[in-house]
């Protein structure tokens, strides 16, 4: 059975003409039926007074469709985008963020990059750098069997987009546009790429993403530049289209070439780039950041200097552990820690039974030092967290169980990575995923699927509130918390009838047992876990 396509609208520079845009959308929807999303590229805010925007911001007026917008392209409008990670600007109007990947519940994958190109440091708040483009490419290329993305949203045009194509009118694409975006478009192979800023409409002929007779056929890309809203020349600023997410399409249908398809406009440019004549991969920041070197087959860690930690001639000095500002129940050195629940201690992390757990083997992975969330962990701590996760998966698998992990970085001060085993006989992974998505929808929580091998640090910044689930298949669900969030949401879903069927245990306070009983459970867990515990290796 063919998948039902999503109906989307894309829009060019709004420039503060919100009433003009949304009245036009209402007219279109009244005539053609409702659309699922409106995607805005270019300048969403203009230099006009804020009176019109205040009506939307305060709820007097409301956008008639869920609207996603890119960020500032100039210093004047930076003030409207307070959170670089994205946030709700008004009801039904959401700022996507500086850069990232948006994956809808349908599987539609949208990559977005806000701002204009800058090759200078420091990068202004309304610009992107080679490092940003490199980070986006790496995030997606690291996913297994990456084929491309459904939609790419940028404000500037890609440089050279007119090569081999139909005329772009007055816009000289050899001089105008961003070479970084050309590089990004080549690497991500979007099926649709929308841009603006040039105050004109240009729908380029579709171009192919493979070399004929040398590579297997791949889907084509359609580049569409949109004019500014309400322009007097009546150039097209709103584009309607239907799309079935790539992941749901039959391969033969996906790679079918349009009759007017052309050569890739960036082919020669990308060949030059591969020879080092354009856009080198950027160096990492030197301050307080750690990265895994994705170019190293061994997957070794790199320190914040970008040098391999094994190549240093000087022995590494032990890092001072981050300290809490006050008493903490989870810092291992703290007197508040209930140490009888601890079942394994590594170099940077430890494992403890959950107090009031959903089951007798519900455990927590916790950093020994004081870190608030996964996003704030240093590289060596991340590595040991991953080692504990892999070990627990093997351990629970030996007992006929799969494990589900979740983190709630909201109203908590010390990272607690919850690990809950679910008997294989209870339900399949897809059932667990569906239960999370269904209950999220019921509570109006936007739970998005993110790329399997992506790093949470590339989606959330330190200090950002979020909820995150990792399934045993590696699939991940993410919610950026903007206002309120039910503290027991993760437990409620797993305790529900669809999964563990223990709804009375959804609140940990209802599951507390005596210290003697906790000691017994911890002793039994240590004994069972011992053959798997890597911290006991010689």
């Amino acid at each position: 059975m063919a998948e039902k396509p999503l109906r989307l609208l894309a829009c060019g520079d709004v420039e503060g003409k919100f009433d003009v845009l949304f009245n036009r959308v209402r007219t279109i929807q009244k005539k053609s039926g409702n659309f699922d999303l409106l995607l805005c590229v270019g300048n969403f805010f203009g230099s006009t007074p804020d009176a019109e925007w205040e009506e939307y911001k305060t709820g007097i007026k409301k956008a008639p469709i869920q609207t996603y917008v890119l960020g500032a392209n100039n210093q004047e409008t930076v003030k409207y985008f307070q959170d670089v990670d994205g946030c709700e600007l008004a009801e039904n109007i959401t700022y996507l963020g500086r850069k990232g990947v948006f994956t809808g519940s349908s599987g539609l994958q949208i990559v977005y990059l806000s701002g204009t190109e800058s090759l200078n440091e420091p990068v202004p708040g309304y610009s992107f750098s080679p490092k940003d483009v490199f980070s986006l490419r790496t995030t997606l290329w690291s996913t297994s069997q990456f084929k491309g993305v459904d939609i790419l949203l940028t404000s500037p045009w890609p440089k050279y987009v007119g090569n081999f194509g139909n005329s772009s009118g007055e816009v000289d694409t050899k001089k105008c546009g961003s070479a970084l975006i050309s590089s990004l478009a080549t690497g991500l192979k979007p099926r649709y790429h929308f841009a603006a800023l040039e105050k004109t409409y240009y729908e380029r002929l579709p171009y192919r993403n493979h070399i004929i007779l040398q590579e297997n056929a791949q889907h084509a890309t359609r580049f569409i530049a949109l004019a500014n809203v309400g322009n007097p020349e009546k150039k097209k600023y709103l584009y309607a289209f239907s799309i079935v997410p790539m992941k749901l399409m039959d391969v033969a249908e996906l790679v079918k070439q349009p009759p007017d398809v052309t050569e890739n406009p960036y082919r020669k440019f990308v060949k030059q780039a591969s020879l080092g004549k354009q856009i080198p991969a950027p160096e990492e920041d030197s301050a307080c950041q750690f990265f895994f070197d994705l170019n190293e087959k061994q997957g070794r860690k790199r320190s914040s200097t970008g040098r391999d930690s094994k190549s240093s001639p000087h022995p590494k000095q032990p890092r001072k552990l981050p300290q809490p500002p006050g008493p903490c129940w989870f810092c291992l050195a703290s007197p508040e820690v209930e140490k009888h629940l601890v079942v394994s201690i590594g170099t940077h992390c430890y494992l403890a039974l959950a107090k009031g757990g959903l089951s007798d083997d519900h455990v927590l992975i916790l950093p020994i030092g004081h870190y608030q969330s996964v996003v704030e962990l240093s590289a060596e701590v991340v590595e040991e967290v991953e080692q504990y996760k892999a070990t627990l998966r093997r351990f629970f698998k030996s007992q006929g169980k799969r494990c589900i992990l979740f983190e709630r970085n909201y109203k908590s001060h010390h990272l607690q990575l919850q690990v809950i085993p679910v008997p294989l006989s209870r339900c399949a992974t897809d059932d667990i995923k569906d239960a999370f998505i269904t209950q999220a929808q019921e509570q109006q929580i936007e739970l998005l699927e993110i790329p399997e091998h992506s790093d949470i640090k590339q989606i959330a910044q330190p200090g950002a509130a979020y909820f995150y689930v990792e399934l045993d298949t590696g699939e991940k669900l993410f919610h950026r918390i903007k206002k309120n969030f039910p503290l027991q949401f993760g437990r409620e879903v797993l305790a529900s009838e669809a999964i563990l069927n223990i709804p009375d245990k959804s609140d940990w306070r209802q599951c507390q047992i005596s210290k003697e009983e906790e000691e017994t459970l911890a002793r039994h867990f240590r004994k069972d876990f011992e053959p798997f515990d890597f911290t006991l290796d010689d």
Side-chain angles (χ1 to χ4, degrees):
M1 182 178 174
E3 296 290 339
K4 184 180 178 182
L6 296 166
R7 304 180 73 226
L8 308 183
L9 290 168
C11 178
D13 305 272
V14 180
E15 296 183 332
K17 296 179 179 177
F18 310 112
D19 287 346
V20 175
L21 169 62
F22 293 132
N23 287 338
R24 178 66 181 144
V25 170
R26 288 186 186 93
T27 301
I28 291 172
Q29 294 202 126
K30 188 174 181 180
K31 182 179 178 181
S32 307
N34 288 339
F35 283 76
D36 297 291
L37 294 176
L38 168 61
L39 308 171
C40 295
V41 294
N43 293 313
F44 188 68
F45 294 98
S47 55
T48 53
D50 289 344
E52 193 172 310
W53 171 243
E54 282 298 316
E55 292 183 309
Y56 288 90
K57 188 177 177 181
T58 57
I60 296 173
K61 292 181 179 178
K62 176 183 171 182
I65 183 173
Q66 185 61 56
T67 304
Y68 290 95
V69 309
L70 294 183
N73 298 295
N74 52 62
Q75 186 60 50
E76 187 181 2
T77 56
V78 168
K79 62 183 180 182
Y80 296 104
F81 305 97
Q82 297 294 320
D83 188 344
V84 295
D85 295 321
C87 57
E88 188 176 77
L89 301 177
E91 188 174 357
N92 268 4
I93 303 175
T94 301
Y95 164 46
L96 283 166
R98 190 161 173 265
K99 69 178 190 301
V101 184
F102 173 95
T103 306
S105 57
S106 62
L108 185 76
Q109 196 171 51
I110 302 172
V111 174
Y112 54 90
L113 180 65
S114 292
T116 55
E117 177 180 313
S118 174
L119 301 179
N120 300 318
E121 293 287 349
V123 178
Y126 53 86
S127 296
F128 57 85
S129 67
K131 194 178 301 179
D132 294 317
V133 171
F134 184 72
S135 168
L136 267 179
R137 283 206 318 251
T138 303
T139 299
L140 287 140
W141 282 356
S142 64
T143 60
S144 59
Q145 299 178 324
F146 174 74
K147 294 177 182 176
V149 299
D150 290 305
I151 298 171
L152 173 61
L153 303 178
T154 64
S155 287
W157 291 29
K159 201 169 186 178
Y160 311 116
V161 70
N163 288 358
F164 312 118
N166 48 317
S167 171
S168 53
E170 296 177 2
V171 179
D172 184 350
T173 61
K174 288 183 172 62
K175 296 178 181 177
C176 163
S178 163
L180 287 176
I181 290 178
S182 305
S183 169
L184 184 65
T186 306
L188 300 191
K189 304 173 186 176
R191 293 165 66 199
Y192 284 87
H193 179 182
F194 293 98
L197 297 185
E198 298 302 327
K199 300 188 182 301
T200 192
Y201 171 69
Y202 172 51
E203 182 170 3
R204 190 203 185 279
L205 292 172
Y207 64 82
R208 63 177 69 92
N209 284 297
H210 63 279
I211 301 174
I212 297 175
L213 302 179
Q214 294 183 35
E215 297 174 333
N216 291 333
Q218 298 179 45
H219 59 272
T221 293
R222 299 174 186 275
F223 171 76
I224 296 133
L226 293 161
N228 48 313
V229 169
N231 65 86
E233 298 86 3
K234 296 189 176 179
K235 294 177 181 178
K236 188 168 183 174
Y237 63 82
L238 206 54
Y239 184 92
F241 66 110
S242 298
I243 185 170
V244 174
M246 181 184 293
K247 64 184 294 184
L248 303 179
M249 288 187 70
D250 176 72
V251 175
E253 187 65 27
L254 176 64
V255 303
K256 192 180 290 183
Q257 301 295 296
D260 53 353
V261 69
T262 76
E263 178 59 87
N264 189 309
Y266 318 121
R267 183 73 61 194
K268 292 180 182 178
F269 162 68
V270 172
K271 188 174 182 180
Q272 289 175 341
S274 68
L275 295 173
K277 296 179 182 178
Q278 300 276 354
I279 315 163
E283 303 248 342
E284 281 77 12
D285 282 341
S286 59
C288 304
Q289 292 190 16
F290 288 79
F291 298 83
F292 284 102
D293 188 347
L294 297 174
N295 296 319
E296 287 282 337
K297 291 183 180 178
Q298 292 80 10
R300 292 179 294 183
K301 289 179 295 182
R302 283 197 298 192
S303 71
S304 60
T305 61
R307 293 187 290 270
D308 194 317
S309 58
K310 291 186 178 181
S311 64
S312 173
H314 305 292
K316 193 173 182 180
Q317 296 300 312
R319 181 190 296 265
K320 187 177 179 181
L321 291 176
Q323 300 299 311
C328 178
W329 289 96
F330 299 102
C331 286
L332 192 57
S334 170
E336 283 83 8
V337 170
E338 298 195 50
K339 293 184 172 59
H340 65 283
L341 293 172
V342 176
V343 292
S344 172
I345 302 177
T347 307
H348 307 287
C349 304
Y350 71 99
L351 206 61
L353 284 185
K355 195 169 185 68
L358 280 168
S359 61
D360 292 347
D361 44 8
H362 174 175
V363 292
L364 307 176
I365 302 173
L366 304 121
I368 291 172
H370 190 76
Y371 295 91
Q372 184 172 330
S373 69
V374 164
V375 172
E376 297 182 9
L377 297 180
S378 61
E380 60 265 31
V381 185
V382 169
E383 185 176 41
E384 195 163 273
V385 166
E386 291 301 320
Q387 199 169 0
Y388 263 123
K389 283 159 64 173
T391 302
L392 286 167
R393 287 191 184 103
R394 289 195 300 272
F395 169 61
F396 287 126
K397 187 177 180 181
S398 73
Q399 298 189 334
K401 301 174 183 178
R402 59 170 52 90
C403 62
I404 308 303
L405 297 90
F406 71 81
E407 178 197 359
R408 185 199 76 230
N409 183 32
Y410 174 70
K411 295 192 175 181
S412 61
H413 301 288
H414 189 114
L415 166 63
Q416 303 157 56
L417 192 56
Q418 310 271 344
V419 185
I420 298 93
V422 177
L424 295 173
S425 57
R426 280 290 313 165
C427 54
T429 303
D430 282 346
D431 297 326
I432 298 172
K433 181 179 175 181
D434 289 346
F436 270 102
I437 291 172
T438 300
Q439 291 204 36
Q441 289 174 341
E442 289 174 357
Q443 299 189 47
Q444 295 184 313
I445 295 169
E446 189 175 34
L447 201 56
L448 306 174
E449 189 171 349
I450 61 176
E452 188 176 321
H453 298 289
S454 61
D455 188 341
I456 260 307
K457 293 186 179 188
Q458 294 168 322
I459 299 169
Q461 296 292 321
Y466 62 85
F467 175 79
Y468 161 73
V469 185
E470 187 171 333
L471 306 174
D472 60 311
T473 55
E475 294 173 279
K476 299 172 185 176
L477 303 172
F478 177 86
H479 170 66
R480 183 181 284 122
I481 298 172
K482 298 168 185 171
K483 294 180 181 176
N484 298 318
F485 185 79
L487 299 182
Q488 305 296 335
F489 177 72
R491 284 185 67 112
E492 287 170 359
V493 175
L494 290 167
S496 67
E497 185 178 348
I499 304 178
L500 291 172
N501 194 22
I502 45 172
D504 55 318
K505 289 193 171 186
S506 60
D507 188 334
W508 71 274
R509 289 165 294 194
Q510 305 301 318
C511 306
Q512 293 188 73
I513 55 178
S514 69
K515 183 177 179 180
E516 291 73 21
E517 290 173 299
E518 289 176 338
E519 287 174 339
T520 301
L521 290 179
R523 189 165 57 250
H524 288 161
F525 187 94
R526 287 189 206 101
K527 182 180 177 182
D528 293 341
F529 187 62
E530 186 175 345
F532 297 83
D533 192 347
F534 63 89
T535 68
L536 302 178
D537 294 343
D538 292 331

